[in-house]
Amino acid sequence: MKKGKAAVIVGAQWGDEGKGKIVDVLSENFPVVARYAGGHNAGHTVIIKGKKFILQLVPSGILRPDCRSVIGNGVVFDPMAFLKEIGALREAGVKVDGNLFVSNRAHVIMPYHRLIELAAENAPGRVKIGTTSRGIGPTYEDKMGRRGLRVADLLDLPLLKIHIENACREKNMIAHALFNSEPLDPDKMFEEYAAASARIAPFVCDTAVLLNQALVRGESIVFEGAQGTMLDIDHGTYPFVTSSSATSGGAATGTGVAPTAIDTVIGVSKAYCTRVGGGPFPSEALDASGDMLRVRGNEFGAVTGRPRRCGWLDLPLLRYAGMINGTSWLVVTKLDVLDELAEIPVCVGYKIDGKKVEDVPAQDSGFGKIECIYQTLPGWQTSSVGTTQLEELPKAAREYLSFLEKQSGTRIGMVSTGPGREQTIMVDEFAAKLTELTGSKTRGQAKN
């Protein structure tokens, strides 16, 4: 039997590119979807027949009844958020039992992680990163400090009790000394998390074994990233980044599947650009056009509701993301948001101190010196909403995509023309690649 292969779906900007919808559309063809990084700070919005699903921890593949969804070891796992999310999915009629699996090696977010992060983010004199204060960073800190609690430990109640007592003693002292925070009660915490562990236990397994066995059986896997390339802990706009490996390389370490199993990397980019929180954003539109993009694109966080900063497509950043991820195909989302514009600025290069530069700066201070070089493209001022065939797009929209493809150096495989599953263009060559990967015939457009 031919061994299965994997594709990685990764954000090519600062997250919020629409990966959730794209994973949902592609999971029709992939029997397994695996999330490899981040925590419940990631919000993936999927709209099916007008019904909105906001997924935070659970992979978007859960909305396909024949697809198995995996939360990998690279994800930081909040038990209470998980139980709340699967409860809402069950109420909506989504099959989670038997279709959803949690790695026994994923690290657990505990209340003291939230306490530390919230206090630190609001501490006087600290540069605000713009975190969701959900305990993501401190959990990764404990993981790398080798003092973390893993899902397997959560199910081991005697160990859980000792761990909570020791952690609360340490974290309460730190929080009180540095931030004058009120102490957490370890006995109450153990009671709550022991009860939660019993409800989580049926979902827990060695997901690395599950995924590798699926590949041996010839099944293909799609890896679902969280956040985006420019939020990667190593390659993003440090320190205004997330705490995990959001790039395609994180798929191997975050799931236990070998890099050699990854056949294709699919980058997802909006037709413009957004970011949430603090940090560099060279092509940010600080005038009325930024407000227009925010309103037309409904650019408010799926998890937090925070308004996103909006700006124009940044091609140097997109080329950088393509290099770091080894992007094979590009998916362009929210093309329809640009429908009303007569002209569309695109950042095609950078200048620093009056000189054109090729590299993306490593430091925040370097980004602060960037002057964007813009090229203005004609708009189409015609609705593209719901278009499902490339040739049916307005001519100027096709030319915009062709320019993006040429300048980024990556083939465009899909274009999203609205939030629904069916509002998607799939290029024939990309559909053929998916058929080659999965062994199942792929239609040239998404099904309802």
Side-chain angles (χ1 to χ4, degrees):
M1 182 183 287
K2 187 179 178 182
K3 194 170 182 181
K5 293 185 176 180
V8 182
I9 295 179
V10 64
Q13 297 168 315
W14 279 286
D16 308 309
E17 300 95 347
K19 297 181 295 296
K21 172 190 168 173
I22 303 309
V23 172
D24 171 63
V25 170
L26 296 184
S27 62
E28 178 186 18
N29 304 96
F30 287 85
V32 185
V33 175
R35 169 93 178 271
Y36 64 82
H40 65 308
N41 55 340
H44 287 176
T45 302
V46 180
I47 297 177
I48 303 169
K49 295 181 180 177
K51 188 169 185 178
K52 182 187 283 189
F53 296 86
I54 296 177
L55 301 168
Q56 293 175 250
L57 266 174
V58 178
S60 304
I62 198 67
L63 301 175
R64 300 278 185 183
D66 298 326
C67 184
R68 278 160 291 148
S69 293
V70 172
I71 296 173
N73 57 275
V75 175
V76 285
F77 179 81
D78 186 314
M80 303 310 179
F82 174 78
L83 291 173
K84 183 179 177 182
E85 191 169 336
I86 64 169
L89 288 168
R90 282 187 182 123
E91 282 181 22
V94 176
K95 184 178 185 291
V96 292
D97 301 285
N99 271 9
L100 179 59
F101 305 88
V102 177
S103 171
N104 55 8
R105 288 174 169 82
H107 278 252
V108 179
I109 299 173
M110 298 295 284
Y112 43 78
H113 293 128
R114 291 192 293 275
L115 171 75
I116 294 288
E117 185 167 44
L118 186 62
E121 182 74 353
N122 294 312
R126 178 183 168 102
V127 175
K128 289 190 180 296
I129 303 297
T131 75
T132 55
S133 297
R134 296 186 175 219
I136 310 294
T139 306
Y140 279 115
E141 285 182 43
D142 277 358
K143 173 181 177 175
M144 292 306 180
R146 294 166 293 184
R147 55 182 175 270
L149 178 80
R150 301 199 293 181
V151 169
D153 306 324
L154 181 71
L155 306 186
D156 184 339
L157 295 189
L159 178 59
L160 175 65
K161 187 172 178 59
I162 294 168
H163 185 96
I164 287 176
E165 287 172 353
N166 291 339
C168 279
R169 190 180 304 115
E170 176 190 319
K171 308 296 184 186
N172 281 339
M173 286 174 62
I174 292 169
H176 180 73
L178 296 181
F179 314 116
N180 201 29
S181 299
E182 290 297 315
L184 295 168
D185 182 346
D187 294 330
K188 183 182 177 185
M189 192 185 302
F190 172 72
E191 199 174 294
E192 290 174 354
Y193 280 76
S197 73
R199 296 170 61 194
I200 289 163
F203 298 93
V204 178
C205 69
D206 187 331
T207 54
V209 172
L210 183 154
L211 292 169
N212 281 285
Q213 286 179 345
L215 290 171
V216 168
R217 289 194 299 269
E219 295 177 321
S220 293
I221 299 168
V222 62
F223 291 122
E224 175 181 349
Q227 288 86 39
T229 300
M230 300 314 298
L231 292 177
D232 183 87
I233 186 67
D234 288 298
H235 304 291
T237 49
Y238 192 90
F240 300 94
V241 291
T242 192
S243 302
S244 59
S245 298
T247 48
S248 59
T253 55
T255 61
V257 168
T260 49
I262 298 171
D263 180 86
T264 302
V265 177
I266 302 164
V268 184
S269 166
K270 282 176 181 162
Y272 49 101
C273 209
T274 66
R275 84 168 293 171
V276 172
F281 188 173
S283 63
E284 184 172 10
L286 296 170
D287 55 9
S289 57
D291 296 330
M292 178 277 300
L293 290 171
R294 187 175 303 108
V295 172
R296 279 190 56 80
N298 190 30
E299 295 296 353
F300 300 90
V303 172
T304 63
R306 288 186 294 182
R308 296 180 186 131
R309 298 158 62 191
C310 297
W312 306 112
L313 192 63
D314 187 329
L315 288 170
L317 226 58
L318 202 55
R319 289 191 286 267
Y320 174 76
M323 176 186 73
I324 293 297
N325 292 302
T327 307
S328 318
W329 294 91
L330 190 65
V331 175
V332 179
T333 63
K334 294 201 170 185
L335 182 70
D336 52 298
V337 173
L338 304 180
D339 282 351
E340 293 183 0
L341 296 174
E343 294 182 328
I344 305 168
V346 177
C347 173
V348 295
Y350 292 157
K351 281 183 181 178
I352 294 179
D353 297 328
K355 295 181 181 178
K356 192 172 180 181
V357 295
E358 298 296 330
D359 297 338
V360 171
Q363 292 178 291
D364 178 36
S365 57
F367 272 96
K369 297 177 183 176
I370 284 176
E371 177 190 345
C372 285
I373 303 168
Y374 284 103
Q375 183 170 333
T376 301
L377 302 181
W380 43 96
Q381 295 187 292
T382 306
S383 177
S384 65
V385 176
T387 305
T388 57
Q389 300 294 332
L390 200 60
E391 60 271 17
E392 292 174 3
L393 284 173
K395 182 172 181 288
R398 296 198 305 273
E399 288 173 348
Y400 183 81
L401 292 171
S402 179
F403 179 81
L404 193 165
E405 190 174 62
K406 184 179 178 182
Q407 290 288 320
S408 69
T410 309
R411 290 288 310 278
I412 292 176
M414 289 174 67
V415 181
S416 176
T417 57
R421 266 182 187 171
E422 72 286 355
Q423 295 173 308
T424 308
I425 297 167
M426 190 176 289
V427 177
D428 289 342
E429 291 88 343
F430 183 63
K433 178 61 181 177
L434 291 179
T435 300
E436 177 194 321
L437 266 177
T438 65
S440 61
K441 192 167 177 59
T442 305
R443 287 179 57 181
Q445 68 182 68
K447 294 179 183 177
N448 285 307

